[in-house]
Amino acid sequence: MAERVRAEFLHAWQGYSKYAWGHDELKPLSKTAHDWYDGQTLLITPVDSLDTLILLGFEEEAKRTREYIDANLSFDKDVYVKNFEITIRVLGGLISAYQLTGDAKLLALADDLGTRLLPVFDSPTGMPYVYVNLKTGKVKDPKSNPAEIGTLLLEFGTLAKLTKKDVYYAKAKKALLEMYKRRSKLNLVGDGINVETGEWIGKSSHVGGGIDSYYEYLLKAWLLFGDEDCHRMWLESRDAMNQHVADDSPAGLWYGSVDMDSGARTGTEFGALEAFLPAVFVLDGDLDRARRLEDSAFAMWKANGIEPDVYDYRAQKATYPSYPLRPEIVESAYYLRHATGDTRYLEMGQTFFDAIVAHCRVENGYTTLKSVVTNEQDDLMPSFFLAETLKYFYLLYAPDSALDLKTIVFNTEAHPFKRTW
Ligand code: DMJ
């Protein structure tokens, strides 16, 4: 299986190289490239993929990609970028690739990017705006959410350690603390907040998009930096989430949505993004919960033969039927296999892999699905498919020695950060 994964990674990579080299992402059906910002490339796929190339042992391709990034990547661009996405994919990718290769240019690029992103924190609360202009430092859009505010500390914190510039850690940590401070009396967060006023604009509390990796980083910042504040915040948040958001019934363990103030249930939807949570429970040592939730996610996958982005677990129906090649359910299978040694997760992984090959493999790479009900294809190979989905598939089947989970922590985009401090 590890070899199959390597072969499919190469297939996807060759499609990108042939039709989108030097651009952000591949559109494999139209054989064209997609740049995120006004046709100004930030080399998102190469940066996001470099550590996967290294980990999977594609030495030639890794060398070519690293040298191309060194020579061509520039952040001196008059574009407003989404701080969250650029932090987890580009800053995260540069940091892990630097740690794996020792190439000082990669760290210099990360430091330059970090400096250009820093103005994003200049709001009245210290919580970041959604967009920042890489050239002018101007910011825009105060309407954000816990995930975009709270999923920065691993990247900025590691950059602080590597460059010895404490400001990176301080700004990202303050944003996280300010976010946490605004939790409800039940210790829950909502899914929308204004970073200028600090007022909630979305009071739905769940573990999906807009909130998901906020929880992930509370725990992981403790694991990576030994940050006791983050540990305390994780424990309190986890207990609240398990008490109020979890929906435990004979039909299985699920996490839906509730009102952050009253705890009243407002929805029974789970989805592909929510499937990150078993992995986090493994890291927290709660294997029972991790196993049960991954079983539910597997049931969601099997309902249509491939998972939808959103699934109503009461109605057992896909309510948002796209599949954008997401990694989370595979990530959780990897952690569970690693922690339990249970071969069940190898079989589960094979079910995932076979379905993705059957439905998403195209002549020039892999593509997203508009619907897992009709299997209609869309035309995009997101960078996280190479950065995360295929990396976790490989790690699921590779020997444990491929990566020492004791010394690294993955950021939310599957970039391994090594604790060197
Ligand atoms: C990735 O960019 C990250 O995993 C993020 O945390 C969530 N969305 C995608 C993958 O689904």
Side-chain angles (χ1 to χ4, degrees), residues 226-266:
D227 190 313
E228 292 298 336
D229 293 334
C230 292
H231 192 210
R232 187 176 39 81
M233 294 191 283
W234 158 251
L235 293 176
E236 199 176 69
S237 305
R238 175 202 67 187
D239 290 348
M241 174 172 78
N242 287 342
Q243 189 183 344
H244 300 289
V245 185
D247 199 350
D248 205 349
S249 76
L253 174 66
W254 297 92
Y255 284 70
S257 47
V258 298
D259 179 273
M260 67 180 275
D261 294 318
S262 68
R265 185 147 306 278
T266 51

Side-chain angles (χ1 to χ4, degrees), residues 84-85 88-89 212-213 273 326-328 384 388 412-413:
F84 165 75
E85 295 289 355
I88 65 170
R89 299 191 201 212
D212 47 6
S213 44
L273 284 168
R326 290 201 193 281
E328 289 79 3
F384 57 69
E388 294 194 75
T412 195
E413 187 78 3

Side-chain angles (χ1 to χ4, degrees), residues 30-70:
S30 53
K31 303 181 196 168
T32 53
H34 164 61
D35 286 316
W36 284 23
Y37 302 110
D38 306 330
Q40 301 215 49
T41 180
L42 293 173
L43 301 185
I44 291 173
T45 290
V47 175
D48 223 5
S49 307
L50 181 49
D51 58 18
T52 314
L53 284 167
I54 296 169
L55 224 65
L56 270 57
F58 293 113
E59 286 173 23
E60 272 308 302
E61 288 82 356
K63 182 168 180 283
R64 173 179 176 232
T65 306
R66 181 177 56 76
E67 289 174 354
Y68 188 84
I69 292 169
D70 282 355

Side-chain angles (χ1 to χ4, degrees), residues 127-141:
M127 293 190 285
Y129 287 90
V130 176
Y131 293 95
V132 58
N133 185 300
L134 289 178
K135 200 186 203 55
T136 64
K138 285 190 188 151
V139 291
K140 66 179 189 190
D141 199 351

